[in-house]
Amino acid sequence: MIAAAAGFTAAAVAAPSLKDAYRGDFVVGAALNSAQIADRARSDAIVKAQFNAISPENALKWENIHPQPDKYDFTTADAYVAFGEKNHMFIVGHCLLWHNQTPAWVFRDENGKLLDRERLLARLRDHIRTIVGRYKGRIKAWDVVNEAVGEDGSMRPSLWYTIIGEDYVAKAFEYAHEADPDAELNYNDYSLENPAKRAGAVALIKKLKAAGVPVTTVGLQGHYSLDWPTIPQLDETISAFAALGVKIAITELDIDVLPPATKEETAEVTLNVQSDPALNPYGNGLPDAVQQSLTQRYGELFAEFRSRKDVIDRVTLWGVTDYESWRNNWPVAGRTAYPLLFDRACQPKPAFDAVIAAAQNPAR
Ligand code: XIL
């Protein structure tokens, strides 16, 4: 299989590269799983040939890097940072504070009782200073707070919010800034393209900026579908945040072509919708018409990103090949998904060509 695997990736390696096509516009990133970090995935050659930024899909999340109160495990995170340095990539840290993939003990004392504000803040400060401090100057951008705003624009009632209060967001940014004053510090969220949620996030960022909190960037996760968000909706969203004086990053781009499993757009990772053959129509391959829609969609999105390159610093895809995408198992387990630019055989898809072409057209 080794020779076949090498053959699989040859086309992707020989293809024009995303990083060169957009050089001078923004860096183009990919999220890496643990096999890719260990340099033993079929898609490793694509990562190195195509991308000049990386994000860790899971390796730096609290449950992995800090599994117990007095135990940090840096094994995969160290390998991740070393991989990025060896390959001269812009290295992103994801994420310091989130309501998911965070162990239950974080919020509780030795007797299982919920912590009070001061103890939870102390724990958060220790976590952020330990991790950001360890990779100071090497991880260039941190997703400091992930998904603090709810769909209606109010603050999400997570344990962070209910125990500490709204200023938990400001505190997280302050702790990260203390630990690495030069790092870019990102507020990251999904569905900010929807007006209500966007308004809530705009109000939050405005308040943080007014209080001098060192937030430098807003990350639009970019878990999109073929028809949502519209390009005007996306463009308005970019403008709304840029007007606050922050940069924009597209942090987790992928495009869903499967039948929607939920009514509202969401990227809440704990969702688990019952399997149903009707939700998995392309198990034997993607019909040409859908492939074409995906191709056109990727092309128009990158044309939009390029037209906003003055404020967009980075566009990161949430994975490399369709085979590895989290979308195969979320929000429905065991589907065959087609969200990325490289297919299950590590070949560039027509959408890849559309993204390269968008870099060559005159900017709008
Ligand atoms: C996802 C990973 O891709 C999965 O492997 C994991 O099981 C769940 O989390 N928003 C985020 C990312 O900020 O961290 C999530 O990543 C996808 C949604």
Side-chain angles (χ1 to χ4, degrees):
M1 277 315 283
I2 300 284
F8 278 145
T9 55
V13 172
S17 77
L18 297 165
K19 64 182 174 189
D20 286 336
Y22 287 91
R23 205 176 288 283
D25 296 341
F26 40 73
V27 293
V28 185
L32 304 187
N33 62 30
S34 51
Q36 290 163 327
I37 291 169
D39 226 335
R40 52 178 174 72
R42 279 197 296 157
S43 50
D44 283 330
I46 303 179
V47 175
K48 292 173 199 165
Q50 292 289 336
F51 297 99
N52 52 4
I54 51 172
S55 295
E57 189 174 357
N58 289 299
L60 272 72
K61 289 174 182 171
W62 197 311
E63 67 181 7
N64 293 320
I65 203 165
H66 190 179
Q68 286 158 34
D70 299 317
K71 185 175 169 264
Y72 285 88
D73 180 351
F74 298 113
T75 321
T76 315
D78 284 356
Y80 165 76
V81 174
F83 180 97
E85 287 183 333
K86 190 169 156 213
N87 295 295
H88 313 290
M89 291 160 160
F90 183 90
I91 305 171
V92 178
H94 172 84
C95 50
L96 295 171
L97 184 158
W98 193 20
H99 63 283
N100 284 318
Q101 295 184 272
T102 302
W105 64 256
V106 172
F107 304 100
R108 296 187 179 269
D109 67 14
E110 23 322 291
N111 303 315
K113 257 190 64 209
L114 284 181
L115 293 180
D116 62 20
R117 169 182 160 93
E118 291 314 316
R119 284 197 68 192
L120 186 55
L121 279 174
R123 198 163 261 179
L124 178 65
R125 184 162 188 252
D126 165 73
H127 177 83
I128 291 180
R129 287 167 64 99
T130 302
I131 297 168
V132 176
R134 184 176 181 93
Y135 302 113
K136 182 170 189 247
R138 302 169 72 199
I139 289 189
K140 304 285 185 198
W142 281 98
D143 289 341
V144 178
V145 173
N146 202 24
E147 303 175 355
V149 177
E151 306 316 293
D152 65 357
S154 63
M155 292 296 288
R156 182 188 287 277
S158 65
L159 284 173
W160 294 112
Y161 178 79
T162 51
I163 297 176
I164 298 173
E166 182 167 338
D167 67 337
Y168 84 84
V169 178
K171 294 287 184 195
F173 277 93
E174 280 158 18
Y175 301 154
H177 187 66
E178 271 169 30
D180 187 349
D182 296 326
E184 283 176 26
L185 303 180
N186 185 36
Y187 174 72
N188 199 50
D189 214 329
Y190 63 83
S191 296
L192 296 179
E193 297 79 3
N194 288 343
K197 188 162 182 175
R198 183 199 311 161
V202 163
L204 174 66
I205 303 297
K206 213 182 234 172
K207 212 187 277 179
L208 294 172
K209 294 284 287 181
V213 175
V215 51
T216 61
T217 318
V218 166
L220 307 179
Q221 288 188 2
H223 295 295
Y224 293 156
S225 66
L226 289 175
D227 52 14
W228 176 87
T230 64
I231 297 297
Q233 228 178 337
L234 175 59
D235 194 64
E236 279 163 25
T237 308
I238 293 169
S239 297
F241 289 108
L244 306 179
V246 289
K247 290 286 193 175
I248 314 296
I250 311 299
T251 53
E252 307 184 10
L253 182 64
D254 53 17
I255 299 176
D256 189 13
V257 301
L258 299 179
T262 56
K263 274 215 246 44
E264 306 293 327
E265 301 85 23
T266 178
E268 169 55 48
V269 299
T270 54
L271 258 184
N272 186 357
V273 176
Q274 176 76 39
S275 297
D276 175 346
L279 294 175
N280 188 26
Y282 311 134
N284 296 320
L286 198 59
D288 278 350
V290 187
Q291 186 80 270
Q292 276 173 31
S293 303
L294 179 69
T295 302
Q296 194 188 339
R297 180 72 165 144
Y298 259 113
E300 72 183 21
L301 280 169
F302 272 80
E304 164 64 16
F305 299 150
R306 189 151 167 265
S307 78
R308 304 307 305 268
K309 64 183 180 188
D310 52 330
V311 289
I312 294 181
D313 272 354
R314 167 166 47 99
V315 177
T316 290
L317 289 127
W318 203 243
V320 179
T321 70
D322 288 344
Y323 171 74
E324 292 149 323
S325 168
W326 75 302
R327 289 279 195 167
N328 293 300
N329 287 303
W330 180 92
V332 184
R335 294 202 292 180
T336 305
Y338 299 84
L340 296 168
L341 297 176
F342 296 91
D343 68 16
R344 294 183 144 64
C346 295
Q347 298 293 336
K349 293 160 59 171
F352 171 88
D353 300 330
V355 170
I356 296 288
Q360 285 150 1
N361 294 333
R364 281 184 301 150

